[in-house]
Amino acid sequence: MSMTIDIHGHVSAPPELYSYKSRLLASRGYNRYPGNVVPEDRLREETDKHVQLLDGVGTDVQFISPRPFQLMHSESPASIVRGFAEVNNDTIARVCEMEPERFKGIAGLPQSPETDMTPSVKELERCVRELGFIGCLLNPDPTEGAGSPPRLDDRYWYPLYEKMSELGVPALIHSAGSKDPRETYSARFITEETITILNLIGSDVFKDFPDLKIVVAHGGGSVPYQIGRWRAARIRQGGETYDFDEDLRRFYFDSVLYNKESIDFLLRMVGTDRVMFGTEKPGSGSSLDAETGRYLDDLKPVIEDIDWLSDDERAKVLEGNARDCYSLLK
Amino acid sequence: MSMTIDIHGHVSAPPELYSYKSRLLASRGYNRYPGNVVPEDRLREETDKHVQLLDGVGTDVQFISPRPFQLMHSESPASIVRGFAEVNNDTIARVCEMEPERFKGIAGLPQSPETDMTPSVKELERCVRELGFIGCLLNPDPTEGAGSPPRLDDRYWYPLYEKMSELGVPALIHSAGSKDPRETYSARFITEETITILNLIGSDVFKDFPDLKIVVAHGGGSVPYQIGRWRAARIRQGGETYDFDEDLRRFYFDSVLYNKESIDFLLRMVGTDRVMFGTEKPGSGSSLDAETGRYLDDLKPVIEDIDWLSDDERAKVLEGNARDCYSLLK
C-alpha cells in the first residue's frame, strides 16, 4: 500500500507568530526576543486542525515551510528577516515534533538583498542538523520585485548550492512578496518560477553542483505550457529538437495546479518521474468548487482520475519521486 | 474554401530601417529625417522573401506590425521612440501597398514612460485613417522592466481605449524589450501577457469600454495553464467555480505556441471561438525541427492535426475568429 506525500505545504501557525513579525517590523528589528512567541496550546490547536484537513484528503505526510508571502525578504534591516525566519523555523520544528509521522520541516531562509548567502547557509545548516529538516525554500528575488537581484546562475548563490549539496537537501523555488502594484505576490510566484528555469537551464550551475536538486513550485510557472518557444530558441543556438525538454527534466516539479487538465499536461510534458504530489493545503487552492463539492486543492482524486497513468507511475507521483528527491526523508 | 489568416506577424524590413534607428539612438533623436530611409528595391526584396515563406505554409493573409523587441519604448527622449514608430508604420504601409491581398497593417505605438497616451492616440488615428491599418500593438510596460508603469486598468490608458473603441481596432498585447538581466525580452512577453490578463480581468475597463477588444499574444502567457490558481482566487472573492473562465473569454488569444500539445490545451481552456491562428512567421519559432523536417512555426498542419476540432471550429480558428475580432478587415 503506497503512501501519499505532499511536498508543498506551509505551517499553520497561530496569529501570535505574525504578531511577533508585526513587532519586528514596527521596531525595525529592535524588539527581538523570540523566547515564547507561539504558545504551545495555540500551536497544538492549529496543528490539530491542519492534521484533520490532511486526514480528510488522504495525505499521509506533508512537508511544511513558512508561509512564503509572509517572509518579507526585502525588509530592512536584514535582522527583521532573520528574526522572523528563525522563529518560523523553530515553530515548524515544534509542529514536526508534535506530529513526527505527519510533518517534515522545510526551512525558510533569511534571504536579504542586504547580505550575501552566509546567513542563509547558517540557518539551513541549523535547520537540517539541529531541527531535522529535509529541504529549504529558495526565493530567486529577495528584493520582492523592487530591485535587481543576481541571476540564479550567478556565483552569489554558490555558497547555498554548496551547502545544499553537502547536506543533501533540495530547494523548492518559491518567491515571497511582491512590491510591484501590477503583480500580486501570487502572480509573481509564477513569474519567478519561469525566470528560475530559464536562468538555470543549460547553465554551469548543474555542472558545478551535479547533486543539486531544484524543485519548481506550481507546475513550473509558465515553462511547460510555453515549451515550444524555448525549444525553438535552443534549436537556434545549435541544439536538437528536444534538447530543451531533456534539460527541463533536470528539475523537479510539484503538482500545485488546481485543475486536472493542467496536471495532466504537466505530467505529459516533463514526465511522470519528475512530478511530485503537492497541494499547498491549506492555502491558495482551498476554495470550494460548488459543482463537485470538493476543494480545488483536493488533488489526490484528480491524480487518481488521470487514467493513462499506470499504478506504478501514480505511486511515483504520490510517493516515490518525493523519496528519490528528498533523500533525508526517512 | 476557407482562408488562412495569420493575425500575428511582423514586418520583414531591410537593415536600412534598423540603421535609421541606430542613428536616432546615437543622436538622441536629433538626426530625425526619415525621408527615404528604406529603399524601395530592398523593401521589395524582403517582402518577396516574406511572401514566399507564407506561400510555403499556406497562409493567405498575415497581419504585420513592427518587430516588438526593436521598439525600445523606454529610450529617452521620447522623440526617439516616436521617430522610429512612425517610420516603422510607414514601412508597413508600403509593404501592405505592395501586397494588398497578403498583408494588413498593425500599428506600433510611440509609447513612452515620459508621455501620456496622446502621441499613441494620434499615431493610431493616422495609421488607421490614413494608412488603412486594422489594429495596433499595446505594450503594457513601456519602461521595459526598468520602472513602474500604471496598471492597464489605470485611467492613464483610457484615451487609447477610447480611440480603439471609436476606430473599431483591437490591440495585440505585446511587450517590447527587457532591461532586466534576469528576464530576456522573450521571457518578458509571457510575463506581461499574464499581468495584462490579471490586471484587466474583472476590472471596470470592459464596463467602461464595452467594445474594447484585447488580443493576448502567445496563447495568453501563463494564464490558461495556471487557471486553477485564478479560479480559486475568484471563488475566495465570492465567485462561482467558473466565473474566472467566463471572464477570460472576454479576451482573444493567438496560437503563437510552437507545439501541438499547448495549442490543443489553449483551445480546450478558452474555447475555439476565442483563439485566432497566429505564427509570427518569420520569427521566434522559425527553427527547423529536424525530426519532422518542418519549422516549429508551421502551425497550420498542427491545427489541422487536432482531431477533435470540427471543420467549422477549425475554419473559425484559421479565419472566422479573426474576421469577428478585426472588424476593419475587408
Side-chain angles (χ1 to χ4, degrees):
Chain A
M1 183 63 188
S2 80
M3 282 175 73
T4 299
I5 300 176
D6 179 349
I7 70 123
H8 188 156
H10 306 297
V11 65
S12 289
E16 283 81 354
L17 177 67
Y18 303 104
S19 166
Y20 176 63
K21 188 179 73 172
S22 164
R23 196 210 301 167
L24 280 173
L25 284 166
S27 70
R28 290 290 113 195
Y30 180 63
N31 282 1
R32 201 174 148 198
Y33 20 84
N36 193 18
V37 164
V38 180
E40 189 75 3
D41 57 333
R42 300 283 288 124
L43 188 59
R44 179 80 255 179
E45 207 176 306
E46 295 296 329
T47 302
D48 286 348
K49 279 193 271 182
H50 196 135
V51 167
Q52 274 174 29
L53 285 173
L54 299 188
D55 284 344
V57 294
T59 294
D60 298 298
V61 179
Q62 192 183 51
F63 301 173
I64 50 171
S65 53
R67 186 65 62 186
F69 86 94
Q70 290 272 13
L71 286 171
M72 300 180 78
H73 285 151
S74 65
E75 289 299 326
S76 176
S79 57
I80 298 176
V81 181
R82 199 159 70 247
F84 186 58
E86 286 167 3
V87 176
N88 233 312
N89 290 329
D90 290 344
T91 305
I92 289 168
R94 288 166 63 196
V95 171
C96 294
E97 215 173 305
M98 282 179 187
E99 297 286 347
E101 304 300 315
R102 304 306 292 270
F103 294 113
K104 302 294 168 188
I106 303 291
L109 302 179
Q111 293 182 240
S112 163
E114 296 177 356
T115 69
D116 65 12
M117 292 310 289
T118 308
S120 292
V121 166
K122 281 188 186 160
E123 180 63 1
L124 178 61
E125 184 138 42
R126 180 181 84 93
C127 288
V128 174
R129 294 205 198 275
E130 295 175 28
L131 307 181
F133 285 25
I134 62 170
C136 63
L137 299 179
L138 177 53
N139 177 6
D141 178 15
T143 79
E144 300 186 300
S148 297
R151 294 163 48 105
L152 282 179
D153 55 356
D154 191 282
R155 301 232 153 209
Y156 171 84
W157 304 94
Y158 271 34
L160 180 66
Y161 298 154
E162 199 176 337
K163 185 53 72 179
M164 285 169 55
S165 302
E166 178 198 322
L167 296 170
V169 298
L172 177 69
I173 299 298
H174 208 309
S175 62
S178 168
K179 290 192 159 169
D180 182 346
R182 303 165 69 233
E183 210 174 11
T184 62
Y185 69 85
S186 184
R188 192 148 190 93
F189 294 163
I190 309 308
T191 302
E192 289 297 332
E193 288 142 18
T194 303
I195 289 175
T196 292
I197 295 174
L198 298 175
N199 283 181
L200 284 181
I201 201 165
S203 76
D204 283 343
V205 169
F206 291 126
K207 287 177 206 141
D208 294 338
F209 300 97
D211 298 327
L212 189 70
K213 287 172 180 166
I214 301 288
V215 184
V216 191
H218 311 118
S222 69
V223 175
Y225 177 56
Q226 294 286 343
I227 198 165
R229 162 169 297 270
W230 310 121
R231 281 180 190 159
R234 177 63 65 87
I235 294 170
R236 268 200 304 281
Q237 291 155 9
E240 307 283 329
T241 303
Y242 296 111
D243 280 0
F244 182 86
D245 298 51
E246 207 170 294
D247 287 351
L248 192 58
R249 286 172 44 75
R250 182 64 180 77
F251 298 87
Y252 285 88
F253 302 85
D254 70 27
S255 69
V256 184
L257 299 156
Y258 301 119
N259 62 307
K260 182 181 170 187
E261 301 92 331
S262 298
I263 295 175
D264 185 303
F265 183 87
L266 172 66
L267 288 163
R268 288 178 197 270
M269 300 312 284
V270 304
T272 56
D273 55 336
R274 307 313 291 177
V275 179
M276 296 182 281
F277 184 66
T279 70
E280 208 206 310
K281 189 174 186 71
S284 60
S286 299
S287 295
L288 188 67
D289 178 347
E291 302 205 5
T292 63
R294 284 208 316 256
Y295 283 86
L296 290 182
D297 58 8
D298 183 2
L299 293 177
K300 194 175 169 183
V302 171
I303 285 167
E304 281 164 350
D305 202 37
I306 295 177
D307 52 19
W308 59 268
L309 286 177
S310 70
D311 289 347
D312 180 55
E313 287 172 322
R314 197 171 289 113
K316 274 185 164 177
V317 171
L318 293 174
E319 178 186 1
N321 296 338
R323 292 196 183 278
D324 288 344
C325 179
Y326 288 82
S327 45
L328 295 188
L329 178 65
K330 302 283 183 324
Chain B
M1 184 63 187
S2 80
M3 283 175 73
T4 299
I5 300 176
D6 179 348
I7 69 123
H8 188 156
H10 305 299
V11 65
S12 289
E16 282 81 353
L17 177 67
Y18 302 103
S19 167
Y20 176 63
K21 188 179 72 169
S22 164
R23 195 210 300 165
L24 279 173
L25 284 167
S27 70
R28 290 290 114 194
Y30 181 62
N31 282 3
R32 200 174 148 197
Y33 19 84
N36 193 18
V37 164
V38 180
E40 190 74 4
D41 57 334
R42 300 283 287 123
L43 188 59
R44 179 80 255 177
E45 207 176 305
E46 294 296 328
T47 301
D48 285 349
K49 279 193 271 181
H50 196 135
V51 167
Q52 274 174 30
L53 284 173
L54 299 188
D55 285 344
V57 293
T59 294
D60 298 298
V61 179
Q62 192 183 50
F63 301 173
I64 50 171
S65 53
R67 187 64 62 186
F69 87 94
Q70 289 273 13
L71 286 170
M72 299 180 79
H73 285 152
S74 65
E75 290 298 326
S76 176
S79 59
I80 298 176
V81 180
R82 199 159 68 249
F84 185 58
E86 286 167 4
V87 175
N88 233 312
N89 290 329
D90 290 343
T91 305
I92 289 167
R94 288 166 65 196
V95 171
C96 294
E97 215 172 303
M98 283 179 186
E99 297 286 348
E101 305 299 315
R102 304 306 293 270
F103 293 113
K104 303 294 167 187
I106 303 290
L109 302 179
Q111 293 181 241
S112 163
E114 295 177 356
T115 70
D116 65 12
M117 292 310 290
T118 307
S120 292
V121 166
K122 281 189 185 158
E123 180 64 1
L124 178 61
E125 184 137 42
R126 180 180 85 93
C127 289
V128 174
R129 294 206 198 275
E130 295 173 29
L131 307 181
F133 284 24
I134 62 171
C136 63
L137 299 179
L138 177 53
N139 177 5
D141 178 14
T143 79
E144 300 186 300
S148 297
R151 294 163 49 105
L152 282 179
D153 55 356
D154 190 282
R155 301 231 153 212
Y156 171 85
W157 304 94
Y158 271 34
L160 179 67
Y161 297 154
E162 198 175 339
K163 185 54 71 181
M164 284 169 55
S165 301
E166 178 199 323
L167 296 170
V169 298
L172 177 68
I173 300 297
H174 208 309
S175 61
S178 169
K179 291 193 157 170
D180 182 346
R182 303 165 70 232
E183 211 173 10
T184 63
Y185 71 85
S186 184
R188 193 150 190 92
F189 293 164
I190 309 308
T191 302
E192 288 297 332
E193 288 141 18
T194 303
I195 289 176
T196 291
I197 295 174
L198 298 176
N199 284 180
L200 285 180
I201 201 164
S203 77
D204 284 343
V205 170
F206 291 126
K207 288 176 206 142
D208 295 338
F209 300 97
D211 298 327
L212 188 70
K213 286 172 180 165
I214 301 289
V215 185
V216 191
H218 311 115
S222 69
V223 175
Y225 177 57
Q226 293 286 344
I227 198 165
R229 163 169 298 271
W230 310 120
R231 281 180 189 159
R234 178 63 65 88
I235 295 171
R236 268 200 303 283
Q237 291 155 8
E240 307 282 328
T241 303
Y242 297 110
D243 280 0
F244 183 85
D245 298 53
E246 207 169 294
D247 287 351
L248 192 58
R249 287 172 44 76
R250 182 65 180 76
F251 299 87
Y252 285 89
F253 302 85
D254 70 26
S255 69
V256 184
L257 298 156
Y258 301 119
N259 61 306
K260 183 181 170 188
E261 301 92 330
S262 298
I263 295 175
D264 185 302
F265 183 86
L266 172 66
L267 288 163
R268 289 179 196 270
M269 300 312 284
V270 304
T272 56
D273 55 335
R274 308 312 292 177
V275 180
M276 298 182 282
F277 183 67
T279 70
E280 208 208 311
K281 190 173 185 70
S284 60
S286 299
S287 296
L288 188 67
D289 178 348
E291 301 204 6
T292 64
R294 285 208 315 258
Y295 283 86
L296 289 182
D297 59 7
D298 183 2
L299 293 178
K300 194 175 170 183
V302 171
I303 286 167
E304 282 163 350
D305 201 37
I306 295 177
D307 53 18
W308 58 268
L309 286 177
S310 69
D311 288 347
D312 180 55
E313 288 172 323
R314 198 172 287 110
K316 274 185 163 177
V317 172
L318 293 173
E319 177 186 3
N321 296 338
R323 293 196 182 277
D324 288 344
C325 179
Y326 287 83
S327 45
L328 295 188
L329 178 66
K330 301 282 182 324

